[in-house]
Amino acid sequence: EVHLVESGGGSVQAGGALRLSCTASGFTFADSDMGWYRQAPGNECYLVSTINADGTTYYTDDVKGRFTISQDDAKNTVYLQMNRLEPEDTALYYCAADLDFDWPHSLGGLCGSVRPPEYWGQGTQVTVSS
């Protein structure tokens, strides 16, 4: 059975930092592309960052230079280091995995229920106060 378990969310003040973790099981992590999406109340599910199985990373413009995605294949874990957080970063953050997915910037619907990507975590809340 596949599991993606996120952790590391919380509440911080603007300018602060958090590191999200997503630990995978039940599939071949090293062969999979991983990504983070986020969803604020009333908003669509938007892409934050991705890391391919070959280590290639991608960031959307609103997080580029502030967020860093990385992975540890030995721990089957992908991380999202979030620095210089802004109130606009407040959202539920979801980890996702797929073997072959083009990671569109918007999935339109609810993070965690739209397919593809194939696998989703349960989400972790990030709240940034001004």
Side-chain angles (χ1 to χ4, degrees), residues 21-124:
S21 300
C22 172
T23 300
S25 60
F27 64 96
T28 307
F29 178 83
D31 292 341
S32 298
D33 299 337
M34 305 293 295
W36 290 92
Y37 279 89
R38 66 185 180 184
Q39 189 159 30
N43 283 5
E44 296 180 351
C45 179
Y46 289 116
L47 182 68
V48 177
S49 179
T50 64
I51 184 165
N52 290 353
D54 65 3
T56 303
T57 59
Y58 173 80
Y59 303 93
T60 56
D61 287 344
D62 49 356
V63 306
K64 195 176 297 181
R66 300 188 297 123
F67 291 9
T68 303
I69 192 170
S70 61
Q71 64 185 27
D72 185 336
D73 288 347
K75 295 183 178 179
N76 282 5
T77 298
V78 62
Y79 303 98
L80 186 69
Q81 177 66 45
M82 306 185 296
N83 297 330
R84 292 185 282 131
L85 283 160
E86 304 168 352
E88 293 74 22
D89 296 316
T90 296
L92 264 171
Y93 282 71
Y94 292 82
C95 172
D98 203 297
L99 285 175
D100 184 16
F101 183 52
D102 60 1
W103 301 98
H105 279 211
S106 173
L107 293 179
L110 291 175
C111 286
S113 61
V114 175
R115 293 289 188 282
E118 184 68 22
Y119 307 121
W120 286 100
Q122 81 283 0
T124 186

